[in-house]
Amino acid sequence: MNRATQAFYYGPYGGRFVPEMFGPALRELDAAWRKYRKDPVFRKDLNNLLHNYAGRPTPLLKADRFAELIGCNNVFLKLEGLAHTGAHKINNALGQALLAKMMGKTRIVAETGAGQHGVASAAAAARLGLHCTVFMGEVDMRRQYPNVYNMRRMGAEVIAVQEGSRTLKDAVSAALKYWAGNLQDTHYLLGSALGPHPYPRIVRELQSVIGREVRRQLGVYGFSAPQLLLACVGGGSNALGLFSPFLPDPDVRCVGVEAGGSGPEQGRNAIRFGGNGRTGIAQGFKSVFLQDQYGNLAATHSVSAGLDYAGVSPELAWLKERGRVQFCSADDRSALAAYDTLSRSEGIIPALESSHAVAAALAMAGTLHPDTVMVINISGRGDKDIFITAPHFEEKAWKDYLLSEAAREGRNE
Amino acid sequence: MNDLFLDKLQAARLKERPLLMTHFVAGYPAMAESRVLAEALAAAGADILECQLPFSDPLADGPSIMQANQQALDNGSTPKSGFALLDGLSARTGCPLIIMSYVNIAYRMGWEKFALACKKAGAYGLLMPDLPLDEGGAEFQDLLAAQGVHLLPVVSPGMEDERLALVLRKARGFIYATLRSGVTGARSGLESSSLDFLRRIHQHSTLPVAAGFGISDKVQIDSLQGLADIVVIGSHLLDLYRTSGLTAVQRFVRSLQS
């Protein structure tokens, strides 16, 4: 790092570790972002889209029945799942798609893991009249068919990534490569607060609407600030979106929840901050990555497709190192249990990603002061996970249903 | 090492033909076979050998080379076994050696250790496309230089003049120019913008220029005459090796040198 690139960094993390061929596009994006982020027209158009299209502000619900289960009186759920397309991802997608349009681009390319960012990008592109190409790992496409279908219906082209582990990291690489060959007319709409500078900054800022709303909404309930914030961490965009407005306030405890997967061994989870993660440089940035002893990114696992990424936001890596954000993990089993608990106690079906944050809250039961003001980010809703949750909770009914539908389709042919 | 490269370059310039740099992946399809491939390339007339130490997420490579990286890793190829493969290769074949890899491989091994290993392997230069000069590349360049190894810049057509000048001002060894933006992979023909880009480079630097990305036939190579001292064949060789085997690869390399 030198003086010229200091602004790219969060402590030792971040940077712009890309081949020179990406440089012009990243510099163009950086300049455009600095030009438009405070531009009155851009702000007005974005706020209009967030309000009338995405449905913001999303509610902050005081979840009393759920609160009883953890022995706290003041548990709030930030219902990002009620934003259009079902997750917080739309905040960033609309902002970047609008920026792309102001830059004169006609196409966007995006990567997606769980498909939520892909759906949000497809929607934003359709709304703003941009052509959209989404790269998605073949494994994730199988796990998240409803999202694949919805992206296609909104006019996006979904391309199956067959390289490597065929999950999110491979989709990031594929999208970056496609971009490199189409820089003139294409904006790369990166979905999380990571990648080469300026993406971590752009995504964090566009997502921070979550935390700003929370502060205002808590005020209506009579609280000036929360004491505890909980959010799941895949790349880190919903967590940073919630945390960032509160980071200057040391009394607000921020906890990120990683995917504990099926066990503590490398390859069975996506816990970057739990001992297996090491500092590394990949996919255009320096951060903490799950990797082998030689530096190759490691395979990850989580029941939720949106959390199984080998790297993590460089800003979160720095906040962790400074002790400002703490991390814990929830495994597949406890995430599924939390999904069930929240569905039954509040009538809210959370995404499996968000279920990890719910699981962490449940794990804190009895350890917190009853008056603790806690906000859990329900970053998405769980409809998209039916192919994972249904076989788990209703194996026979689900199988019978699929078989009967398959038979019906067969008869109709 | 310097002499080997410069002698080759001078001889090629006298003959008014470019040097042929051929790419292979350490450990693809397996360690022993990649050694056989490298030696066969040299025997067929390749002038420079470019060895890629595999990485899981190669950002500048297209499908052919990606797949070779993955297979090499699946076969247990490590930086250590890759460097061991290269030991003595340059001296044995009389070909200057270029090592190519991605930054995390060097970062994990440790900058100094990696630089030393490059020297021990007899490398003339190192290509590390995802380590820009202003992200630690300049410091690594110094470490490598202390071992007599050049960190070779990789430049692309879309680069602004100012940036190109900055990168080329610090360049040593030779300049690797990608003929287009995008990733490696064979395709036919050459665009005029690619040739314009090579002309732009010569305005900024007097160093030899290697042209790569998308080269797969003699016609393309001939059209680079006078603009590139070195032509790089990567993906096409891998594709040929995969579909038609070692003999076909050798026949192809010979046909380019005739």
Side-chain angles (χ1 to χ4, degrees), chain B residues 176-190:
Chain B
Y176 188 117
T178 73
L179 290 173
R180 53 191 164 77
S181 287
V183 294
T184 60
R187 55 181 70 181
S188 62
L190 272 186

Side-chain angles (χ1 to χ4, degrees), chain A residues 35-80:
Chain A
K35 177 177 169 191
Y36 289 118
R37 57 187 282 264
K38 303 266 182 195
D39 179 80
V41 178
F42 177 79
R43 299 293 343 162
K44 186 169 153 272
D45 287 358
L46 180 57
N47 286 336
N48 190 16
L49 281 167
L50 289 174
H51 182 69
N52 295 311
Y53 184 70
R56 302 208 73 88
T58 58
L60 184 72
L61 176 78
K62 190 153 186 288
D64 289 336
R65 277 174 43 81
F66 178 76
E68 257 177 55
L69 299 173
I70 46 178
C72 280
N73 302 319
N74 302 308
V75 177
F76 294 89
L77 306 178
K78 181 60 172 166
L79 299 181
E80 286 297 294

Side-chain angles (χ1 to χ4, degrees), chain A residues 259-281:
Chain A
S262 58
E265 301 84 10
Q266 177 128 314
R268 296 183 64 178
N269 59 64
I271 308 175
R272 284 70 44 100
F273 294 124
N276 288 330
R278 296 275 179 280
T279 304
I281 306 166

Side-chain angles (χ1 to χ4, degrees), chain A residues 28-359:
Chain A
E28 181 194 19
L29 176 63
D30 197 9
W33 174 244
R34 279 187 278 123
K35 177 177 169 191
Y36 289 118
R37 57 187 282 264
K38 303 266 182 195
D39 179 80
V41 178
F42 177 79
R43 299 293 343 162
K44 186 169 153 272
D45 287 358
L46 180 57
N47 286 336
N48 190 16
L49 281 167
L50 289 174
H51 182 69
N52 295 311
Y53 184 70
R56 302 208 73 88
T58 58
L60 184 72
L61 176 78
K62 190 153 186 288
D64 289 336
R65 277 174 43 81
F66 178 76
E68 257 177 55
L69 299 173
I70 46 178
C72 280
N73 302 319
N74 302 308
V75 177
F76 294 89
L77 306 178
K78 181 60 172 166
L79 299 181
E80 286 297 294
L82 288 183
H84 178 47
T85 66
H88 72 289
K89 293 291 187 186
I90 193 72
N91 306 331
N92 170 52
L94 283 171
Q96 281 196 50
L98 190 62
L99 181 66
K101 195 150 177 167
M102 299 191 94
M103 290 168 75
K105 308 283 181 185
T106 55
R107 311 166 69 88
I108 56 173
V109 57
E111 83 298 337
T112 196
Q116 289 303 109
H117 173 60
V119 170
S121 299
R127 169 71 205 168
L128 293 171
L130 300 163
H131 184 276
C132 180
T133 305
V134 179
F135 286 88
M136 187 169 188
E138 204 183 28
V139 172
D140 289 336
M141 281 179 80
R142 248 194 343 261
R143 291 199 284 189
Q144 303 283 342
Y145 183 78
N147 278 340
V148 175
Y149 171 80
N150 287 336
M151 282 183 254
R152 290 198 187 119
R153 297 296 7 113
M154 291 185 281
E157 182 188 4
V158 184
I159 298 180
V161 178
Q162 318 214 349
E163 282 88 22
S165 60
R166 290 167 293 149
T167 58
L168 181 56
K169 78 176 176 70
D170 310 290
V172 171
S173 292
L176 270 169
K177 288 172 189 181
Y178 176 92
W179 191 39
N182 300 276
L183 295 173
Q184 293 295 329
D185 60 354
T186 305
H187 169 68
Y188 176 25
L189 209 173
L190 210 160
S192 198
L194 43 77
H197 179 80
Y199 282 107
R201 259 165 229 273
I202 295 177
V203 178
R204 190 271 312 264
E205 191 164 326
L206 290 170
Q207 290 295 0
S208 64
V209 65
I210 302 171
R212 288 198 306 273
E213 284 178 9
V214 164
R215 186 188 285 287
R216 203 164 55 236
Q217 291 165 320
L218 275 177
V220 176
Y221 285 102
F223 298 104
S224 60
Q227 279 140 2
L228 174 61
L229 300 174
L230 277 173
C232 65
V233 177
S237 74
N238 92 80
L240 275 170
L242 175 66
F243 299 163
S244 61
F246 298 104
L247 289 174
D249 182 349
D251 294 333
V252 182
R253 186 180 159 209
C254 300
V255 179
V257 187
E258 299 186 278
S262 58
E265 301 84 10
Q266 177 128 314
R268 296 183 64 178
N269 59 64
I271 308 175
R272 284 70 44 100
F273 294 124
N276 288 330
R278 296 275 179 280
T279 304
I281 306 166
Q283 305 217 290
F285 65 108
K286 187 175 189 180
S287 187
V288 174
F289 289 88
L290 290 167
Q291 52 187 310
D292 69 15
Q293 60 174 306
Y294 308 109
N296 298 293
L297 296 192
T300 51
H301 163 80
S302 168
V303 69
S304 81
L307 297 185
D308 63 351
Y309 183 63
V312 69
S313 148
E315 186 172 7
L316 282 178
W318 177 229
L319 290 167
K320 159 80 164 67
E321 197 165 301
R322 285 169 49 207
R324 180 62 191 91
V325 174
Q326 298 159 356
F327 286 85
C328 64
S329 67
D331 63 14
D332 289 351
R333 193 185 296 264
S334 59
L336 282 160
Y339 163 97
D340 199 39
T341 303
L342 189 65
S343 300
R344 287 169 184 279
S345 61
E346 297 285 350
I348 290 166
I349 301 181
L352 281 175
E353 290 78 11
S354 326
S355 300
H356 286 72
V358 178

